[in-house]
Amino acid sequence: MSSVIEGLLNSDNPDFDLAAGARTNGTPKRRNRRSAQRSSIPPSESNGALSDVEGFPDDEIVGVRGTDRNRPRDPMARAVPKVVDKVGEKVAEEFENFLDQFIEDVTLSGAPPSSALTTDKYYIAQIHGLRIYNLSTLYVDFQHLMSLQNQTLANAIANDYYRYLPFLTRALHNLIAKYEPRYFKDHRQPTSASSQTGGSSVAGNGVSQAETQGSRTTNQQTDKLFTLAFYNLPLISRIRQLRTASVGKLLSISGTVTRTSEVRPELYLATFICEGCRTVISNVEQTFRYTEPTQCPNLTCMNRQGWRLDIRQSTFVDWQKVRIQENSSEIPTGSMPRTMDVILRGEIVDRAKAGEKCVFTGTLIVVPDVSQLGLPGVRPEATRDNRNAPRGGDAGGSGVTGLKALGVRDLTYRMAFLSCMVTPDTSTPGQAANQQLNGQAGNILASLNQTATIDPQDTGDHAQDAYLQSLTASEIEDLKQMVHSDHIYSRLVNSLAPMVYGHEIVKKGLLLQLMGGVSKVTPEGMQLRGDLNICIVGDPSTSKSQFLKYICSFLPRAVYTSGKASSAAGLTAAVVKDEETGEFTIEAGALMLADNGICAIDEFDKMDIGDQVAIHEAMEQQTISIAKAGIQATLNARTSILAAANPVGGRYNRKTTLRANINMSAPIMSRFDLFFVILDECNESVDRHLAEHIVNIHMLRDDAVTPEFTTEQLQRYIRFARTFKPEFTPEAKTLLVEKYKELRADDAQGGIGRNSYRITVRQLESMIRLSEAIAKANCVDDVTPNFVREAFNLLRQSIISVEKDDVEVEEDEDEVLNNGTANGHADDRDRDGDSPMADGDDDDQDGDGDGDDGPDGAAARRASQTPAPQSRRTKITYDKYMAILNMLVQRVNEDEMTSGEGVEHEDLVVWYLEQKEDEINNVDEHDQEKELVRKVIKRMVKDNIFMQIRGEGLDGDEGTSRNAERVVYVLHPNCAVEEM
């Protein structure tokens, strides 16, 4: 209240000079009566008391004193002594001395890169920088204020920031006028012109001050407003802790930005023209709503209502409203997240993007909720205003309500936050939010993270320079050591997610996802994705969600959602009606909020199929297209997706395919670059180490793990590595093509990738992105063949090979048949085609391979008939069975294509043994392999892969007749050779 009273006293006092600088040689000059153009409204909040600084020579308005001297004085005027805020004046003086004299301790922040600066005074160098870079905001480190021996200035600013803000701004004006007079004159402050002049120049008789200023420079009134921004406050408050006791104090709050308005011009200081007498009233400050003068200063007019706004002579500033929400880690049990509106002005608009976690520094203000006051047809009765209340109904609720009988309107007040500084909040969830910025006077914007994010289309060198400018000398030295050290790739992997034991393969994938590939744009304008999508599939309790939570806490732009609780609109974008304008607007979903970051989706398999379809476009084209409620838009969603899914039925079944294990469609599976299957297998040594690790964490907490690099070092390194744009060498290109052909061949022949998911061109692009990410992790500009091999191995490991049951190559009815014929008639078994399935004793008697049985052989076979059923059930692995099958099918198919006839049984066996010649070391192995291939051929006939053709009455090859018919094998008509 005191500042309002002082303003009223100052403005209504006709006898005392408003400018303190109108005294010469210690004797106050007699003040001239103010002109009719002087406003009788309170002075501007940003102006405050006026300074004693000397004005510019051309600020003197010629001929004013003589015209006003002889006018009769108002008989009602009384000599009211001028009220001066002595404390405010003292604060302004101290603050000006502080800015003028402060010298930064170079050892703390490292030598700034601005060695060309002509002064070692920190804030004077910044003031010179204002002119060089055409800026209007001076950034003040609050730690510098607290480092002074006398803490009075810091305490005064912290406790009464809103009261002293005009005095602090005036001190800034004085310094800029002192050190950069030309820049200050070119961008004259509308409220500071009077502060920079003598008392005689304040009064003007017919010419308004705004017009004299406007004649000096065009668009003078809308050019620059010099302001102060504070940062590095010692304490950061939560939104929930803000009470009326905090109103007017300097404080920092942390929150997540959920919605930003567009940047609009805000009427800051208005110039009105009286409709009655054409008197011009300038510099009417707007107090959070449209404010007109109370009455015309012309005593013969006394108009109170008819005003016309002179837009050309009014001052406008950029204005933006940002809605922030409590950080998810700060919400107490059972509560809804609180929201608050933050008002940004001037240069700091558009520094906060939706989805970012930011620290806002400024002051809490109370504003009347005047949105309903001007509506036509609203009856003046007391009603509860729930229009702007959040869903919980606990913030911004009803204030003072009017009395219905008296016709008093409702006065619902709400709190807003007037911010002077926005910085990104880099603390991880669970940590206390803190600001530890090192501003460098010559490069203040980059060092305070106030510059725009690095453009993906920038060249690598430019982006690296821009990032290095935001680091201190010690951080750059630390980064240099990491880049030039050996085996940095594996050491980074070991430092990632240190609380999770093992899983090096998954950590490799996550590191590469944090790095990302290189986004490219074709000459036709087609976007080629550079972000990696990863899906982790695994048994319960294999720390899938821990990986997701770690990534979300590690990256500043990461969004965590759960599959079943997320709808298609919540993931992409929703069209909602704006509560202020009533128009339809787009509300960003999780994928848009995670733009240039990672969107972690847990329980991906539990999502509805319709919701999974919604993210198809975002995963490959990286855009979101909307056509709803008259809005047609294509929005960017350049995000990496990290999904975690449980297998169908709870546990992963190794005997079925990956597709059968997870509830996903084939299109969405092909969009994932890497699949990691984590199996919970029993292993004594692994279990023991894992148990020790978990027990240590519960017992020792943070001391249980000692990663080589801290989280801050990792974040710095990854941000630096992302600025590289690696390119493929010719050798790497050749190897890439070879590896892709190898993957496709495996897929076609039922090899390691069989029945898993098809290898498509997307997997080739995945290998390209992975190779680029590995090059980025090593901070190099060339992709070498070694990187391609590493990417290929990662892709191979993610294509889980499907385990098949062992194949039995002996049928049950053969056992029954052999048990029934204990006397062993070879001819009967041959006639039934069973001779290939006989046990190994047939072939062991004489190794000539012709199948003749002597009497000794028959006797021996009869003697060994009893234990035969146990030994005859031969099992081989599925892989070996498929390998033999592919070789035999290939041989028979070639023979059919050339000669048109099949292959005889014995020829086929002999050919197979010749192929295996190198692997057979002795006679026993030869006999086992021969027996095995005969059984496999029998199984293939059973499975309709081969078809037997028997010849009637044919002679044997050696001229000796056999009782058995000779069998020729051809491919079965139902055998699909191309799929073999």
Side-chain angles (χ1 to χ4, degrees):
M1 285 299 294
S2 60
S3 58
V4 178
I5 294 169
E6 292 159 19
L8 289 170
L9 290 173
N10 289 346
S11 61
D12 289 337
N13 174 14
D15 289 329
F16 282 80
D17 190 356
L18 284 183
R23 297 178 178 84
T24 4
N25 300 326
T27 58
K29 286 185 181 178
R30 182 173 175 276
R31 186 192 180 282
N32 302 307
R33 191 188 188 289
R34 68 178 178 182
S35 71
Q37 283 79 11
R38 289 290 307 181
S39 159
S40 63
I41 47 93
S44 153
E45 188 71 43
S46 64
N47 184 16
L50 306 176
S51 78
D52 297 334
V53 104
E54 284 301 320
F56 297 106
D58 59 349
D59 283 345
E60 182 83 14
I61 299 176
V62 181
V64 176
R65 294 173 182 168
T67 57
D68 203 30
R69 180 170 298 166
N70 298 322
R71 289 184 60 179
R73 294 176 61 84
D74 182 7
M76 300 299 292
R78 296 183 304 276
V80 180
K82 180 181 176 183
V83 177
V84 177
D85 186 352
K86 295 182 180 177
V87 183
E89 295 286 347
K90 183 68 175 170
V91 167
E93 182 184 340
E94 290 290 332
F95 187 67
E96 187 174 340
N97 291 337
F98 160 74
L99 293 181
D100 200 357
Q101 305 298 332
F102 184 79
I103 297 174
E104 188 184 26
D105 186 2
V106 179
T107 56
L108 292 178
S109 63
S114 51
S115 54
L117 289 176
T118 55
T119 176
D120 58 351
K121 294 181 179 178
Y122 183 81
Y123 293 103
I124 304 306
Q126 259 202 66
I127 287 174
H128 293 310
L130 293 182
R131 176 184 57 80
I132 297 169
Y133 301 111
N134 201 23
L135 303 174
S136 63
T137 304
L138 187 83
Y139 297 92
V140 180
D141 190 342
F142 201 76
Q143 296 296 328
H144 293 171
L145 283 166
M146 296 181 66
S147 66
L148 300 177
Q149 288 183 350
N150 190 351
Q151 295 284 307
T152 314
L153 180 61
N155 293 336
I157 293 176
N159 293 327
D160 280 323
Y161 169 74
Y162 200 58
R163 170 188 174 188
Y164 297 133
L165 183 59
F167 298 97
L168 302 178
T169 310
R170 195 182 73 201
L172 173 65
H173 289 168
N174 294 346
L175 277 179
I176 299 176
K178 178 179 175 183
Y179 288 100
E180 291 289 347
R182 183 75 207 165
Y183 184 64
F184 186 74
K185 183 178 176 183
D186 289 346
H187 303 286
R188 177 74 56 76
Q189 303 306 291
T191 59
S192 65
S194 54
S195 5
Q196 304 302 330
T197 59
S200 56
S201 66
V202 174
N205 54 354
V207 187
S208 81
Q209 186 185 18
E211 287 170 2
T212 57
Q213 278 190 315
S215 63
R216 283 198 290 274
T217 46
T218 57
N219 297 329
Q220 181 67 54
Q221 299 292 312
T222 56
D223 205 353
K224 282 266 188 297
L225 284 173
F226 293 116
T227 54
L228 289 161
F230 292 90
Y231 64 96
N232 273 2
L233 264 68
L235 182 67
I236 294 182
S237 308
R238 298 180 179 182
I239 298 175
R240 196 172 284 268
Q241 295 170 341
L242 298 180
R243 299 286 183 268
T244 49
S246 305
V247 172
K249 294 184 177 180
L250 181 65
L251 44 98
S252 293
I253 59 172
S254 174
T256 304
V257 180
T258 56
R259 187 191 293 184
T260 59
S261 73
E262 73 256 23
V263 178
R264 303 174 186 162
E266 182 193 23
L267 182 61
Y268 184 64
L269 292 166
T271 298
F272 289 98
I273 298 176
C274 173
E275 294 281 17
C277 63
R278 319 303 295 167
T279 301
V280 177
I281 302 177
S282 58
N283 300 341
V284 179
E285 183 169 9
Q286 306 297 298
T287 55
F288 305 111
R289 60 191 178 92
Y290 186 64
T291 309
E292 293 181 337
T294 50
Q295 71 174 39
C296 179
N298 189 343
L299 297 178
T300 60
C301 175
M302 301 296 287
N303 165 41
R304 289 178 181 270
Q305 289 181 343
W307 302 103
R308 182 163 59 84
L309 179 68
D310 186 356
I311 292 180
R312 191 178 67 87
Q313 302 294 352
S314 299
T315 306
F316 290 89
V317 294
D318 291 329
W319 177 93
Q320 185 183 30
K321 187 170 77 173
V322 172
R323 177 162 298 167
I324 64 170
Q325 180 178 301
E326 269 185 303
N327 295 322
S328 55
S329 58
E330 297 172 357
I331 303 173
T333 311
S335 299
M336 295 292 294
R338 300 263 176 98
T339 59
M340 174 165 281
D341 287 338
V342 176
I343 296 167
L344 307 177
R345 284 178 175 162
E347 283 184 350
I348 61 166
V349 297
D350 264 353
R351 296 254 172 98
K353 305 285 190 300
E356 287 182 348
K357 208 173 139 189
C358 295
V359 174
F360 297 88
T361 305
T363 186
L364 196 64
I365 54 174
V366 176
V367 291
D369 199 357
V370 294
S371 48
Q372 273 192 323
L373 292 183
L375 295 179
V378 176
R379 291 172 54 206
E381 58 185 14
T383 56
R384 183 182 293 271
D385 177 20
N386 288 327
R387 216 168 37 83
N388 283 326
R391 194 174 295 169
D394 51 1
S398 291
V400 182
T401 54
L403 296 172
K404 187 174 181 181
L406 301 176
V408 181
R409 282 194 189 277
D410 281 347
L411 294 176
T412 302
Y413 291 91
R414 59 192 175 93
M415 286 201 286
F417 194 80
L418 186 62
S419 176
C420 66
M421 180 72 175
V422 181
T423 56
D425 185 2
T426 55
S427 60
T428 55
Q431 279 186 350
N434 59 351
Q435 259 185 317
Q436 293 173 344
L437 299 170
N438 291 299
Q440 298 164 4
N443 188 27
I444 191 70
L445 287 183
S447 59
L448 294 181
N449 297 325
Q450 296 295 304
T451 50
T453 53
I454 295 170
D455 186 12
Q457 308 304 328
D458 267 357
T459 59
D461 294 341
H462 180 268
Q464 287 164 30
D465 293 341
Y467 175 59
L468 288 174
Q469 283 181 352
S470 65
L471 301 178
T472 63
S474 56
E475 290 171 342
I476 291 175
E477 190 60 38
D478 181 41
L479 187 63
K480 195 181 294 181
Q481 288 178 358
M482 289 177 70
V483 170
H484 294 303
S485 59
D486 295 331
H487 309 297
I488 184 66
Y489 175 56
S490 56
R491 289 160 60 198
L492 288 172
V493 170
N494 293 332
S495 298
L496 202 69
M499 289 290 178
V500 180
Y501 176 80
H503 297 316
E504 272 78 16
I505 301 297
V506 183
K507 290 181 183 179
K508 274 185 186 177
L510 294 181
L511 177 68
L512 298 183
Q513 187 178 35
L514 290 169
M515 296 290 177
V518 180
S519 300
K520 306 175 188 74
V521 182
T522 62
E524 299 86 27
M526 188 184 301
Q527 300 274 350
L528 295 180
R529 170 164 70 99
D531 297 305
L532 288 159
N533 298 325
I534 292 179
C535 183
I536 304 175
V537 183
D539 295 338
S541 79
T542 48
S543 66
K544 298 186 300 295
S545 299
Q546 291 297 325
F547 280 125
L548 269 63
K549 289 283 189 184
Y550 173 80
I551 291 295
C552 288
S553 66
F554 183 84
L555 264 191
R557 278 193 84 94
V559 178
Y560 180 90
T561 61
S562 184
K564 195 65 178 173
S566 304
S567 65
L571 281 173
T572 53
V575 176
V576 296
K577 183 175 278 191
D578 188 8
E579 56 190 15
E580 292 187 352
T581 60
E583 299 174 353
F584 285 105
T585 59
I586 294 175
E587 179 117 21
L591 291 173
M592 283 176 60
L593 293 179
D595 194 20
N596 289 325
I598 289 180
C599 180
I601 306 176
D602 207 352
E603 311 293 349
F604 194 73
D605 54 313
K606 314 285 192 308
M607 282 177 68
D608 297 331
I609 298 297
D611 296 338
Q612 281 188 7
V613 171
I615 64 174
H616 275 205
E617 182 192 3
M619 287 182 73
E620 192 59 42
Q621 279 75 40
Q622 298 205 303
T623 55
I624 293 170
S625 301
I626 281 185
K628 295 178 188 173
I631 293 177
Q632 281 86 29
T634 299
L635 313 163
N636 283 326
R638 295 160 302 209
T639 174
S640 304
I641 289 182
L642 176 60
N646 283 110
V648 174
R651 287 196 171 272
Y652 193 88
N653 181 6
R654 298 197 66 155
K655 305 233 172 104
T656 58
T657 63
L658 180 67
R659 170 80 192 281
N661 266 297
I662 49 178
N663 182 24
M664 280 191 215
S665 60
I668 212 161
M669 284 182 69
S670 71
R671 284 170 161 81
F672 281 108
D673 296 285
L674 290 176
F675 272 94
F676 291 116
V677 178
I678 308 178
L679 301 176
D680 184 15
E681 294 175 321
C682 296
N683 183 319
E684 185 185 350
S685 64
V686 172
D687 291 345
R688 187 178 71 252
H689 286 113
L690 177 60
E692 287 175 354
H693 177 79
I694 292 175
V695 171
N696 281 338
I697 285 180
H698 281 271
M699 185 171 66
L700 304 173
R701 307 291 168 84
D702 290 347
D703 299 332
V705 288
T706 53
E708 184 177 359
F709 301 124
T710 63
T711 303
E712 289 76 17
Q713 285 177 304
L714 273 177
Q715 287 173 330
R716 278 199 298 269
Y717 186 89
I718 288 174
R719 280 188 64 189
F720 178 68
R722 283 175 68 99
T723 60
F724 282 84
K725 308 279 183 193
E727 295 181 356
F728 281 85
T729 60
E731 301 84 18
K733 286 180 188 172
T734 312
L735 184 63
L736 198 63
V737 175
E738 293 299 322
K739 293 296 184 186
Y740 175 65
K741 283 164 60 181
E742 190 178 324
L743 279 175
R744 285 288 283 186
D746 279 347
D747 194 32
Q749 296 172 8
I752 191 169
R754 67 171 172 277
N755 297 333
S756 170
Y757 63 100
R758 294 302 302 272
I759 301 295
T760 62
V761 183
R762 282 187 176 145
Q763 273 63 50
L764 173 62
E765 292 188 331
S766 298
M767 263 203 294
I768 294 174
R769 285 191 284 269
L770 286 168
S771 307
E772 290 170 344
I774 295 169
K776 281 185 175 183
N778 289 282
C779 286
V780 293
D781 287 321
D782 292 323
V783 180
T784 62
N786 285 335
F787 298 159
V788 177
R789 287 189 195 95
E790 172 72 17
F792 173 73
N793 291 336
L794 264 175
L795 203 58
R796 282 287 282 266
Q797 282 159 343
S798 71
I799 302 171
I800 187 77
S801 60
V802 181
E803 283 196 355
K804 292 287 189 179
D805 286 332
D806 291 346
V807 180
E808 284 192 9
V809 288
E810 184 141 12
E811 303 296 334
D812 294 339
E813 59 265 22
D814 299 327
E815 283 183 31
V816 175
L817 176 67
N818 286 300
N819 287 337
T821 58
N823 54 356
H825 294 292
D827 53 340
D828 292 338
R829 283 184 292 118
D830 287 345
R831 193 170 292 113
D832 291 334
D834 290 342
S835 95
M837 304 305 291
D839 64 72
D841 297 334
D842 299 354
D843 308 318
D844 292 341
Q845 299 303 322
D846 48 1
D848 56 0
D850 57 359
D852 291 341
D853 296 327
D856 297 332
R861 192 170 60 254
R862 278 195 297 273
S864 65
Q865 195 65 41
T866 308
Q870 284 77 18
S871 62
R872 291 168 61 83
R873 294 178 62 88
T874 309
K875 281 190 177 185
I876 59 171
T877 63
Y878 184 84
D879 285 340
K880 183 160 188 180
Y881 173 72
M882 290 301 293
I884 300 174
L885 181 144
N886 281 329
M887 289 175 69
L888 298 178
V889 167
Q890 189 178 2
R891 170 78 175 83
V892 174
N893 187 40
E894 286 175 359
D895 203 272
E896 279 191 12
M897 300 296 285
T898 53
S899 65
E901 299 177 1
V903 183
E904 289 191 16
H905 176 79
E906 291 304 329
D907 292 346
L908 194 58
V909 172
V910 171
W911 174 85
Y912 173 77
L913 292 173
E914 287 174 355
Q915 302 301 314
K916 291 288 186 179
E917 197 172 12
D918 296 338
E919 301 175 16
I920 298 174
N921 298 322
N922 52 41
V923 177
D924 290 343
E925 289 184 8
H926 174 272
D927 294 342
Q928 289 171 7
E929 202 71 33
K930 182 177 177 182
E931 177 193 0
L932 182 63
V933 69
R934 288 183 170 188
K935 294 180 179 180
V936 169
I937 293 173
K938 173 68 170 66
R939 170 73 187 246
M940 290 169 68
V941 172
K942 200 83 174 166
D943 290 343
N944 287 343
I945 296 173
F946 282 170
M947 192 166 64
Q948 291 176 333
I949 298 177
R950 305 164 187 262
E952 291 290 337
L954 293 175
D955 290 336
D957 290 337
E958 291 82 11
T960 60
S961 63
R962 294 173 50 199
N963 291 335
E965 299 160 351
R966 286 180 35 227
V967 178
V968 175
Y969 290 109
V970 295
L971 287 177
H972 197 281
N974 293 339
C975 174
V977 183
E978 62 275 0
E979 291 183 4
M980 290 292 175

